[in-house]
Amino acid sequence: MSDAYKTFFNIAKDAERAMPILRFFSDSVWDIATLFLTMGYLTESLFLLELLIKYYKHTGNNEQLAAVQSNIAIVMKNRGDLDHALHLQQDYERVSSEFGNEKGISIAKGNQAVIQSVQGNYNRAMILHRQEESLSRKLKDNEGVMYSLANQGRILVAQNQFDIALPLLLESERIARELGHDDGLVASLGLQAHILTDKGDKKGTIKIHKECVQLCRAIGNKTGIAANLNSLALLFLDEEDLDSALVYCQESVQLIREIKDKIRLLGSLTSLGLIHYSRKDLTAALSTYKELEKISRELENTDVLQMSLKYQAVIFIALGKFDNAMNVLHEQENIFRQSGNSEGLAGNQVLQSLIQGNKDGILKEVAGLSVFLMNSGKLEEAMKILKEEERISRELGSNEFLSECLGCQAVILTKWDKLKEAMILFKEKERICLEIGNKDGIYACHVSQATIIANWVKQASLYLEKGDFENALNNFKNAYYNDPNDFLYSTQIGWCYFVLGNFEEAEKYFKISLKLKEEEHTFMNLGHIYLCKENHVKAINYYFKSIKLWENKDQFFSDFDSDYEYLKKHGISKEKYAEIKNELEKF
């Protein structure tokens, strides 16, 4: 906080001196309170807002009073008092409605939506955000539209509906750039980074996070800088660029220390510990996890506390300090017993047993138990045991056991119809099997991956029969991303995009298909696209190419006629259709 703001805040503390000047400077006090809120100075912001509450009650300005309560609600939300925050925002909406203040209604709906989203009420949140967006567009409030779109995108990303979220986020980004609104731009880009991460586009994700760092530096948003630096650190850790990961993470930790946010410090220190451990700098890693232990005790965060103790134990084992490891594990054991965490306790007991030198025996026992539970149909219990087996196998470098437990987890995920997650695990198992020379394991992975792809194609085909092209598209995309060399998948993706009216994406995937195989339907579909885009010459050209590949023209025209219902939906009249058909019949 600057000296000027500190001076202002100290004057404002004297209510008798501050109240008279509010008559002339209430707008400035509001601006500074809002600035404090944005910068994360919640106590200072709340003090000034409560001062304004007294002033507006004294003057009877109920409309402005409600606006101040709305910002107090944001403070309450940031402090975790969601019910109180929601009640204040609803009051703000009610008062704004009484005064016919549509801008206030829009803001109140947006803030309510954010709170509903935090509470997990996504459907209600989306309704409110759409109402906010509609009002903002009506009022030509581009900033309101920008935030509404970004927040809708945030909810959709949380629900893994990335294809629906992305257009909203791109529009939000466009508006933010037009307005020169760096905060809004950071919000939109951060969510796009999440989508790119899910699609495996690490280069694109890194590029976005770097831009966000620059934007946050420009506006002095230390929290944003630290968050994006931490994300970069983890991305480079995943790429095994440990030096870059360390540089980014150390700056993130430094910034979080400066703003004295112990909750965020837990996350940055967790990343730093992993990086030190990956660099085999066990002394630095141990020091980091001890600091994590200290802070998590202060915050009474048992999840981070037990994690920090676990990694300390692993490091002590690596250093050969078995007595230290046992002491830490005993402490972790007490935490698990007190919280009734049977799964964590089982892992703790396994590590204690491992210290006594029975590594293979323990892993075999755990693996045997998980297989028994799977065969008994107790899949949830089996998954918990398999997760513990995976963790232990990774810590001890036992790739043979790791590959088997990953495969078992993938089988369970397949039974649960979580095919994306299963595919990721089968691919990791395949990579490990290649490393250890397990040919049978590699073959089994190939069969399992092919089965998942076939399942996606089957689901997509069922959706096509129902006319549900969006769900069909998503399933064909899953198949394509895992087997891009099968022209069927890119062709079907192109067809779904065409039916849905996204001609650019349709053209892109049809042309991918042509590179794999020159097929008559693909040429015909490209003709459809150019016909809809009113490019008569190109349309005819592609239709001619299609006709050449058919055994006879009757087959071509049979398919051509069956596609007219889709062409009609895209604005192709009967007259235009007949004109094109007559020209093609001359070929």
Side-chain angles (χ1 to χ4, degrees), residues 524-561:
M524 180 187 289
N525 292 332
L526 281 164
H528 291 342
I529 289 171
Y530 283 108
L531 180 60
C532 293
K533 292 169 74 173
E534 299 182 359
N535 190 329
H536 183 98
V537 174
K538 277 196 172 183
I540 292 294
N541 184 42
Y542 277 113
Y543 285 140
F544 282 162
K545 288 181 178 180
S546 176
I547 291 172
K548 286 180 181 178
L549 294 175
W550 288 90
E551 291 183 7
N552 59 67
K553 284 207 295 186
D554 290 341
Q555 290 179 330
F556 170 85
F557 284 113
S558 174
D559 270 39
F560 189 70
D561 289 340

Side-chain angles (χ1 to χ4, degrees), residues 152-390:
Q152 289 178 59
R154 189 184 308 280
I155 293 170
L156 292 167
V157 166
Q159 297 176 311
N160 295 325
Q161 298 184 48
F162 301 127
D163 288 339
I164 304 174
L166 189 56
L168 300 179
L169 294 171
L170 290 172
E171 185 179 359
S172 177
E173 177 193 348
R174 177 185 62 76
I175 296 171
R177 292 190 187 279
E178 289 175 357
L179 296 175
H181 199 301
D182 290 342
D183 280 331
L185 185 55
V186 169
S188 175
L189 290 175
L191 290 165
Q192 290 180 52
H194 189 105
I195 295 174
L196 291 179
T197 299
D198 181 78
K199 291 185 175 181
D201 185 355
K202 290 181 181 177
K203 286 185 178 180
T205 308
I206 288 171
K207 181 181 177 182
I208 285 180
H209 281 304
K210 285 183 174 180
E211 183 178 358
C212 286
V213 169
Q214 292 177 342
L215 290 166
C216 289
R217 288 192 197 281
I219 59 179
N221 181 352
K222 288 186 178 182
T223 302
I225 299 169
N228 282 283
L229 287 172
N230 190 58
S231 296
L232 285 167
L234 293 175
L235 285 163
F236 280 103
L237 173 62
D238 192 50
E239 292 286 296
E240 298 184 0
D241 184 351
L242 302 181
D243 290 339
S244 297
L246 182 62
V247 170
Y248 285 122
C249 196
Q250 284 176 331
E251 186 181 354
S252 175
V253 169
Q254 178 186 340
L255 288 167
I256 295 296
R257 290 191 198 280
E258 288 176 8
I259 61 179
K260 299 178 181 178
D261 187 337
K262 288 187 176 181
I263 294 176
R264 292 184 185 277
L265 186 57
L266 289 178
S268 292
L269 286 175
T270 299
S271 301
L272 185 60
L274 284 171
I275 293 167
H276 283 315
Y277 185 78
S278 300
R279 289 168 58 88
K280 303 192 186 315
D281 189 346
L282 300 184
T283 302
L286 185 60
S287 175
T288 302
Y289 285 120
K290 283 184 174 179
E291 184 179 0
L292 261 179
E293 176 191 351
K294 177 176 177 293
I295 297 171
S296 58
R297 288 188 190 279
E298 292 174 5
L299 298 175
E300 298 182 352
N301 188 323
T302 54
D303 288 337
V304 177
L305 174 57
Q306 66 83 13
M307 180 273 294
S308 66
L309 292 171
K310 180 193 76 173
Y311 276 106
Q312 287 181 59
V314 170
I315 292 169
F316 280 131
I317 292 172
L319 294 171
K321 297 181 179 181
F322 301 111
D323 289 340
N324 299 71
M326 287 299 288
N327 290 336
V328 172
L329 288 170
H330 285 317
E331 193 165 356
Q332 187 195 44
E333 178 184 350
N334 291 333
I335 295 171
F336 286 136
R337 291 190 185 281
Q338 289 170 10
S339 61
N341 186 341
S342 57
E343 183 183 350
L345 182 61
N348 174 277
Q349 297 298 293
V350 168
L351 269 181
Q352 291 190 45
S353 300
L354 291 173
I355 291 174
Q356 299 169 10
N358 191 17
K359 180 176 86 170
D360 289 338
I362 291 294
L363 279 174
K364 286 177 182 176
E365 184 178 339
V366 174
L369 177 58
S370 63
V371 172
F372 170 77
L373 290 169
M374 284 180 66
N375 292 337
S376 303
K378 298 178 179 179
L379 301 185
E380 290 185 2
E381 294 178 41
M383 183 61 87
K384 289 181 179 179
I385 298 297
L386 286 165
K387 288 286 187 184
E388 191 58 34
E389 181 187 349
E390 177 190 350

Side-chain angles (χ1 to χ4, degrees), residues 120-182:
N121 302 324
Y122 293 136
N123 289 337
R124 179 60 184 156
M126 283 298 286
I127 291 170
L128 287 165
H129 276 313
R130 283 168 183 156
Q131 291 172 349
E132 174 197 18
E133 179 191 349
S134 178
L135 276 169
S136 296
R137 290 190 189 278
K138 176 184 175 183
L139 297 169
K140 297 183 179 179
D141 174 15
N142 287 337
E143 183 178 11
V145 175
M146 174 193 72
Y147 276 124
S148 175
L149 292 171
N151 283 321
Q152 289 178 59
R154 189 184 308 280
I155 293 170
L156 292 167
V157 166
Q159 297 176 311
N160 295 325
Q161 298 184 48
F162 301 127
D163 288 339
I164 304 174
L166 189 56
L168 300 179
L169 294 171
L170 290 172
E171 185 179 359
S172 177
E173 177 193 348
R174 177 185 62 76
I175 296 171
R177 292 190 187 279
E178 289 175 357
L179 296 175
H181 199 301
D182 290 342

Side-chain angles (χ1 to χ4, degrees), residues 77 143 185 198 235 265 403 446 458 500 516 523 533 561 572:
K77 178 183 77 70
E143 183 178 11
L185 185 55
D198 181 78
L235 285 163
L265 186 57
S403 69
H446 288 168
K458 180 181 178 182
L500 293 169
L516 297 170
F523 282 119
K533 292 169 74 173
D561 289 340
I572 303 301

